[in-house]
Amino acid sequence: MSFDLSVFSNKNIILAVTGGIAAYKSAILVRRLKDYGFNVRVVMTHGAQAFITPLTFQALSGNPVHTELLDPEAEAGMGHIELARWADLVLVAPASCDTIAKFAAGLADDLLSTLYLATKAPVWVAPAMNQQMWAAKPTQRNLNTLVEDGVHVIMPEAGSQACGDVGLGRMPEPEDLAEQVKNYFHQAQRAIAEKFGLLAGKRVVITAGPTREAIDPVRYISNHSTGKMGFAIAAACYSAGAKVTLLAGPVSLDTPNGVRRINVSSAIKMLDESMHQLEEGCDVFIATAAVADYRVAEVAEHKIKKAGDELNVSLVKNPDIVATIAQQSKRPFMVGFAAETRNVEEYAAGKLVAKKLDMIACNDVSRADIGFASDQNAMTVFFAEQYQMEKRDLEKASKQEIAQQLVEAIHDALNHKIEPV
């Protein structure tokens, strides 16, 4: 699944590194957290500096490394208070047996233990130690105290250790820890979106990509649609709090995080699945798919062999998916798309009325800079007459930005419909 990593750019992580051979993994962990877009500051105990240098973490994080409780360069010399207020999450990895004991006892004799007491941010610890130290009753007692105090303990892994022992005590791999941090913030943001997002509580169904209409077992009719716009809209709807189902034609794109994806191939199958989704319940139907207008009347059972200079194939018209859904008695809010090469706005306005849509977005796919394969788009949005809303011109931008503007337009229309008297 794909994530929009820009959502983490305003999240601040303090990575606290304590004494232990696993400190070398923490350098990789900084890189992985930075890859996800987090702001990272590193706190090191004196024991940690025996295994790896502060300069390493400064180079990787892009920020000064904090090692002393009383910092003459910090505001009023109270560096631990500044850090405590800055953090959205404190991750102690590796967390030594000594640090865990200090946390449990409430000691405050160094920067990290004082920071632990001073922060309101969630605190996670990833213990790393000898297997016997891990199993010792005082260590387990201290860990239970931390859990009772609301600290999230990431269980160590089993395996061979630097001392030669085998057992529990290895710090999880940096990639796994970074993934857990990412998922934590994503879930927190999702909870907010489901309550306060522009499409909170809405169930959205989106069609995206091309369809393929078989000629024989190895050949088909299709088009140049990549599905990028539809997938971007699916991600934007999910970020806005909606429950999203994506009916995807044959495209090579990662499924947006949190989105339910159903793969289809032909126009008939896409219509069947659309009707099924309508039966399950749908508040908003967004038809971005470039559905083939025609299909082969009779698909050959076997590969057609080359014979002569011409091959005649009989085509029949495919059903119009968006118009069919719009005609249903329990129709959702209908959003259509018009990809045209000329008279774009004229054709789009006509489709809006003819297909009984609530909203339509159109663009000129003859333009190389915003065509099917482009990462950018520019659109004009029209609304049905009953919404009494003026058309919107969405200037050229990334498809992600255009998708967000379309979500805003849908939200505005849903909240401005003028009901007949």
Side-chain angles (χ1 to χ4, degrees), residues 52-361:
I52 191 167
T53 68
L55 184 60
T56 298
F57 287 109
Q58 180 174 322
L60 292 171
S61 69
N63 290 310
V65 175
H66 305 271
T67 60
E68 299 298 333
L69 174 58
L70 300 177
D71 183 358
E73 297 183 2
E75 181 183 347
M78 306 293 282
H80 60 288
I81 300 299
E82 293 176 39
L83 284 171
R85 293 170 177 167
W86 179 83
D88 292 306
L89 175 71
V90 176
L91 171 60
V92 187
S96 67
C97 188
D98 178 66
T99 295
I100 290 170
K102 284 184 177 181
F103 285 2
L107 297 180
D109 61 352
D110 64 1
L111 173 58
L112 177 55
S113 58
T114 307
L115 173 65
Y116 169 70
L117 295 176
T119 189
K120 292 182 179 180
V123 177
W124 293 12
V125 296
M129 62 194 73
N130 168 267
Q131 56 88 23
Q132 187 55 50
M133 294 175 69
W134 167 260
K137 290 183 178 180
T139 302
Q140 293 301 310
R141 189 162 55 242
N142 290 335
L143 286 166
N144 287 334
T145 298
L146 293 190
V147 171
E148 291 175 359
D149 290 343
V151 174
H152 175 58
V153 177
I154 301 171
M155 287 293 292
E157 297 178 348
S160 59
Q161 300 182 316
C163 61
D165 286 356
V166 177
L168 279 173
R170 291 169 55 93
M171 188 176 99
E173 294 306 307
E175 292 79 8
D176 295 335
L177 290 175
E179 181 85 5
Q180 290 185 47
V181 173
K182 177 195 70 176
N183 289 337
Y184 165 76
F185 281 103
H186 175 79
Q187 290 167 7
Q189 289 172 332
R190 177 60 180 172
I192 294 172
E194 287 182 341
K195 190 172 184 179
F196 301 108
L198 293 179
L199 298 180
K202 302 296 184 184
R203 185 168 183 271
V204 178
V205 177
I206 302 171
T207 66
T211 61
R212 288 179 179 174
E213 309 303 328
I215 298 173
D216 63 20
V218 299
R219 300 180 180 90
Y220 57 82
I221 300 171
S222 191
N223 56 62
H224 295 297
S225 175
T226 62
K228 289 181 179 180
M229 193 69 247
F231 275 60
I233 293 173
C237 288
Y238 179 78
S239 295
K243 294 182 179 179
V244 183
T245 299
L246 179 62
L247 309 184
V251 296
S252 300
L253 295 173
D254 292 334
T255 306
N257 184 66
V259 171
R260 177 191 178 200
R261 177 175 180 172
I262 300 174
N263 291 323
V264 295
S265 54
S266 68
I268 295 295
K269 290 182 178 179
M270 185 171 282
L271 174 60
D272 290 344
E273 190 56 50
S274 296
M275 293 297 292
H276 177 68
Q277 295 302 317
L278 193 63
E279 292 173 2
E280 288 191 354
C282 174
D283 299 301
V284 180
F285 189 93
I286 306 175
T288 73
V291 181
D293 292 322
Y294 295 88
R295 69 183 185 276
V296 175
E298 293 186 14
V299 179
E301 183 178 354
H302 301 287
K303 179 182 176 182
I304 300 173
K305 297 300 181 182
K306 189 186 304 182
D309 295 331
E310 294 183 359
L311 173 65
N312 294 316
V313 177
S314 179
L315 302 178
V316 295
K317 193 173 183 179
N318 269 324
D320 189 316
I321 295 175
V322 68
T324 301
I325 300 297
Q327 291 170 3
Q328 303 305 306
S329 57
K330 294 183 178 180
R331 67 189 296 280
F333 181 88
M334 298 296 303
V335 183
F337 276 70
E340 304 289 351
T341 58
R342 60 191 178 91
N343 301 329
V344 178
E345 294 192 13
E346 179 184 342
Y347 288 144
K351 286 182 179 180
L352 177 69
V353 175
K355 298 186 179 185
K356 299 181 180 179
L357 306 179
D358 297 284
M359 170 178 151
I360 193 166

